[in-house]
Amino acid sequence: MAGLSTRHLLGIKDLNAADIQLIFETADTFKSVLNRPIKKVPSLRDVTIANIFFENSTRTRLSFELAERRLSADVVNFAASSSSVSKGETLIDTVNNILAMKVDLVVMRHPYAGAGVFLSKHVKAQIVNAGDGAHEHPTQALLDAFSIREKYGDVAGKKVVIVGDILHSRVALSNILCLKQLGAEVMVCGPTTLIPKYIGSLGVKVEHNLIKALNWCDVANMLRIQLERQDIKYFPSLREYTMLYGLNKQILDGLDKKITVMHPGPINRGVEITSDVADSKQSIILDQVENGVAIRMAVLYLLAGQAS
């Protein structure tokens, strides 16, 4: 079986279309495993994986850990808040100390963009980027595209709108790169202040009217407002944002056609999306969570298989 063209998973921009299809096909196999009574396979037995998270995370960390354990890997969890990082230890020293304990693969989330790329140039282990600042979140984009493929049979030709805080979202950039690779049409929608100036260079449409964007699309991926990354006010209030860009059942039912609703989580119910939309039959949010484990199993399996 052909392997991935890259030794690390640092961002979607490092993957080609064949890599993405290989990850999807491998994830198909692992998803069938996850639906069996015995959900574990010995694929990564004797492989040790360290989850190094310098930012808070619930779904991503649990999803990676579950994927690792389903593959029978040995798992080490590291939280920066309770480590020597708080005493001034550098990133390279931290990771090298962990690697000295014979760790094979590192899954890392970091608040600074490019941390994974920097680390991959200084340590021997393979790196999986679980999110670096407002830069990329490749496994989230892969599981989102995989969920669209599962729903519609193919991603090519589908119209996907990404709504919300595009400027601060690592999910938005990775999704745009992944969806474009797979032949989808992509639009972004949000306040002018939350749309980055470079967005046109990525080959996506821009729309500031939510209703127009929703009537255009097949799939709407609703992003949360990343208040923790905002150092200034980008809009007057959350209430005003919700009035203009929040998706509720009334808007959803009033569209020209039925669309599919996605959200990478965590959901701020009542802000970007209401509970009756998040829990509706048009929502595939929980399917995304389920597919996240299969996609991460596929990524870890394929990377570990090419370890030198």
Side-chain angles (χ1 to χ4, degrees), residues 77-94:
N77 287 313
F78 169 95
S81 58
S82 57
S83 74
S84 293
V85 172
S86 59
K87 302 174 186 174
E89 187 173 70
T90 67
L91 174 60
I92 293 176
D93 283 341
T94 297

Side-chain angles (χ1 to χ4, degrees), residues 2-8 13-20 22-23 302-303 306:
L4 295 176
S5 64
T6 177
R7 189 169 174 269
H8 310 278
K13 62 180 177 293
D14 299 324
L15 300 177
N16 56 43
D19 289 330
I20 296 172
L22 177 59
I23 291 169
L302 290 167
L303 288 177
Q306 57 166 241

Side-chain angles (χ1 to χ4, degrees), residues 261-263 267 273 277-278 283-290:
V261 178
M262 304 175 70
H263 196 301
I267 302 172
I273 189 171
V277 172
S283 163
I284 59 168
I285 295 171
L286 291 180
D287 296 321
Q288 290 173 262
V289 177
E290 181 184 350

Side-chain angles (χ1 to χ4, degrees), residues 35-295:
N35 288 316
R36 297 187 325 206
I38 298 172
K39 299 175 175 63
K40 208 166 186 178
V41 288
S43 307
L44 294 191
R45 187 179 289 160
D46 298 327
V47 173
T48 304
I49 302 175
N51 298 316
I52 305 177
F53 279 68
F54 292 86
E55 272 188 329
N56 292 335
S57 172
T58 304
R59 279 162 320 288
T60 302
R61 184 174 55 79
L62 286 176
S63 184
F64 266 111
E65 187 175 345
L66 195 54
E68 292 150 9
R69 295 189 188 279
R70 294 282 189 248
L71 292 166
S72 303
D74 296 318
V75 181
V76 179
N77 287 313
F78 169 95
S81 58
S82 57
S83 74
S84 293
V85 172
S86 59
K87 302 174 186 174
E89 187 173 70
T90 67
L91 174 60
I92 293 176
D93 283 341
T94 297
V95 176
N96 274 329
N97 274 294
I98 292 169
L99 296 182
M101 303 173 200
K102 306 304 177 190
V103 167
D104 303 294
L105 205 145
V106 172
V107 175
M108 184 176 75
R109 169 167 289 188
H110 201 279
Y112 296 129
V117 176
F118 171 76
L119 195 62
S120 69
K121 294 175 180 175
H122 291 85
V123 301
K124 291 180 180 178
Q126 292 169 288
I127 311 294
V128 177
N129 177 12
D132 58 335
H135 179 227
E136 277 222 50
H137 193 350
T139 56
Q140 181 68 48
L142 288 167
L143 74 89
D144 287 346
F146 183 79
S147 300
I148 294 171
R149 170 180 172 267
E150 186 178 65
K151 174 78 176 178
Y152 291 100
D154 197 2
V155 179
K158 295 295 169 285
K159 295 179 177 179
V160 183
V161 65
I162 303 170
V163 182
D165 188 354
I166 312 297
L167 183 64
H168 300 97
S169 174
R170 53 188 168 217
V171 173
L173 177 58
S174 288
N175 258 280
I176 290 166
L177 295 174
C178 187
L179 292 167
K180 295 290 287 181
Q181 278 262 35
L182 295 170
E185 291 184 60
V186 184
M187 175 186 283
V188 295
C189 177
T192 306
T193 51
L194 291 177
I195 305 289
K197 292 179 181 177
Y198 65 77
I199 203 75
S201 65
L202 297 177
V204 304
K205 297 179 171 67
V206 179
E207 177 58 67
H208 299 295
N209 183 299
L210 179 65
I211 306 299
K212 286 182 182 177
L214 294 175
N215 275 320
W216 171 85
C217 75
D218 300 306
V219 179
N221 199 346
M222 309 298 296
L223 306 181
R224 72 183 178 88
I225 295 297
Q226 310 238 343
L227 293 173
E228 73 276 11
R229 299 190 199 283
Q230 296 183 8
D231 47 1
I232 60 172
K233 283 184 80 72
Y234 288 85
F235 46 85
S237 67
L238 275 179
R239 181 172 175 272
E240 182 165 321
Y241 176 86
T242 301
M243 287 171 65
L244 292 172
Y245 295 102
L247 178 56
N248 58 44
K249 201 71 167 68
Q250 185 179 354
I251 292 172
L252 192 64
D253 291 342
L255 297 177
D256 298 338
K257 59 181 178 181
K258 281 197 179 297
I259 65 168
T260 299
V261 178
M262 304 175 70
H263 196 301
I267 302 172
N268 288 324
R269 290 175 182 255
V271 180
E272 71 273 7
I273 189 171
T274 56
S275 290
D276 50 5
V277 172
D279 302 330
S280 71
K281 290 182 179 178
Q282 288 171 253
S283 163
I284 59 168
I285 295 171
L286 291 180
D287 296 321
Q288 290 173 262
V289 177
E290 181 184 350
N291 289 334
V293 178
I295 282 288

